[in-house]
Amino acid sequence: MRIFVTGASGWVGSAVVPELIGAGHEVLGLARSDASAGTVAARGAEVVRGGLDDLDTLRAAATGSDGVVHLAFGHDFSRFDASVQADARAVETLGAALEGTGKPLAVASGTPALPGRVATERDHPEYPPGSPAAGRAANARATLDLASRGVRSSVVGLPRTVHGEGDKGFVAWLVAGAREKGVAGYVGDGSNRWPAVHLSDAGRLFRLAVEQAPAGSMLHAVGDEGVPIRDIAEVVGRHLGLPTAARPAEEFGFLGGILSLDQPASAAVTGELLGWRPVGPGLIEDLDKGHYFTGGSGAGSR
């Protein structure tokens, strides 16, 4: 198939693009800048110049493709509402281009946060209006609803951490924060759990979604159902030679609210539907490989 991928130059795209190409698919990758275009080309994909706001470009690329993987999302948390709105416009544009064709559209989202129990693919919680989670959940529902318009749509819920060598997301932020403050911190008693998945496993699930997922499928790319935040902090502290301790949520900035939530998630339904099983290392094993602690760590987007 000829697959159009937004976010092809990003973190998850670094696994999705080669996974698709390795399976014999042709990939077109969206790239807004010269640097992104170079990255997309180096990954073996044909470059489509433009950004998420270039709706005519999205429409044309989707129309000329056999399917779409939509990964791009702005993770600047100071502009999260704008990112959600841009994502909504992109989903509608891509869906309209594929309407009535039966072609696949796989869209990245997040796994639900249901404190106290493990979230499954069948959970579609209602979040407080105006909250960041509510916006992304609405876009996920809009994607699933495209099934009624003749699109083989699916949503791949990514956990809080998609880990691997080169990750600059939440775990890298925790490492950088520990270095800065001299303590590997956690919130509360540290029992709150984060789901996680290795980058390679996430890439493989997006390929399976494009190839096999039935219309209207909610999927979870989850390897570890829930890793206690204190366990993560203890590994960080051990590798950096720092103490581990409870710290106020405010000390972590925007990340404090996320660290304060218990949000485990399961991929059992996804495994039954597509035969997907995580084979990459778990988060703690990956942390113990040491690559999160060499060189600088910092913020980045999926």
Side-chain angles (χ1 to χ4, degrees):
M1 290 191 289
R2 181 175 170 87
I3 308 297
F4 174 47
V5 179
T6 73
S9 64
W11 173 237
V12 178
S14 72
V16 172
V17 171
E19 177 72 28
L20 289 170
I21 292 173
H25 302 298
E26 179 184 355
V27 176
L28 294 77
L30 187 69
R32 181 166 52 187
S33 67
D34 290 342
S36 293
T39 298
V40 169
R43 291 175 179 173
E46 178 183 335
V47 175
V48 175
R49 289 303 298 261
L52 276 192
D53 292 329
D54 299 321
L55 301 184
D56 288 342
T57 298
L58 298 185
R59 187 178 300 108
T63 299
S65 299
D66 299 311
V68 177
V69 175
H70 174 43
L71 304 173
F73 188 85
H75 285 87
D76 179 350
F77 286 88
S78 67
R79 302 183 63 255
F80 201 85
D81 287 347
S83 296
V84 167
Q85 292 166 17
D87 185 50
R89 291 190 293 270
V91 167
E92 172 56 31
T93 299
L94 295 168
L98 300 179
E99 187 169 353
T101 66
K103 294 178 181 179
L105 169 62
V107 173
S109 189
T111 53
L114 299 171
R117 73 173 180 87
V118 177
T120 77
E121 295 88 334
R122 296 189 176 98
D123 289 312
H124 300 282
E126 293 293 331
Y127 296 103
S131 68
R136 292 215 75 181
N139 292 350
R141 286 193 296 272
T143 300
L144 298 178
D145 289 345
L146 289 169
S148 66
R149 295 165 56 186
V151 180
R152 185 160 63 80
S153 60
S154 61
V155 172
V156 178
L158 295 168
R160 301 304 82 79
T161 295
V162 180
H163 57 89
E165 188 165 1
D167 174 23
K168 292 180 171 59
F170 289 163
V171 171
W173 284 346
L174 288 175
V175 172
R179 278 198 174 107
E180 178 185 351
K181 298 183 182 302
V183 59
Y186 53 87
V187 176
D189 64 4
S191 64
N192 287 337
R193 295 163 291 176
W194 264 7
V197 70
H198 191 266
L199 176 66
S200 61
D201 290 321
R204 185 160 42 88
L205 182 54
F206 276 101
R207 174 179 62 80
L208 291 173
V210 167
E211 293 176 343
Q212 303 177 26
S217 297
M218 183 69 211
L219 310 170
H220 281 182
V222 174
D224 293 311
E225 287 193 358
V227 182
I229 299 300
R230 182 167 184 165
D231 290 359
I232 299 172
E234 286 175 348
V235 177
V236 171
R238 173 159 47 83
H239 277 269
L240 296 180
L242 297 173
T244 303
R247 307 300 300 170
E250 296 77 15
E251 193 170 288
F252 295 91
F254 81 91
L255 196 53
I258 301 173
L259 289 168
S260 300
L261 291 176
D262 185 49
Q263 44 193 310
S266 165
V269 174
T270 298
E272 293 170 4
L273 183 65
L274 299 180
W276 177 82
R277 298 287 186 276
V279 296
L283 176 56
I284 297 301
E285 179 185 354
D286 203 17
L287 280 166
D288 269 329
K289 291 179 182 294
H291 52 79
Y292 277 95
F293 308 101
T294 57
S297 295
S301 69
R302 288 178 181 160

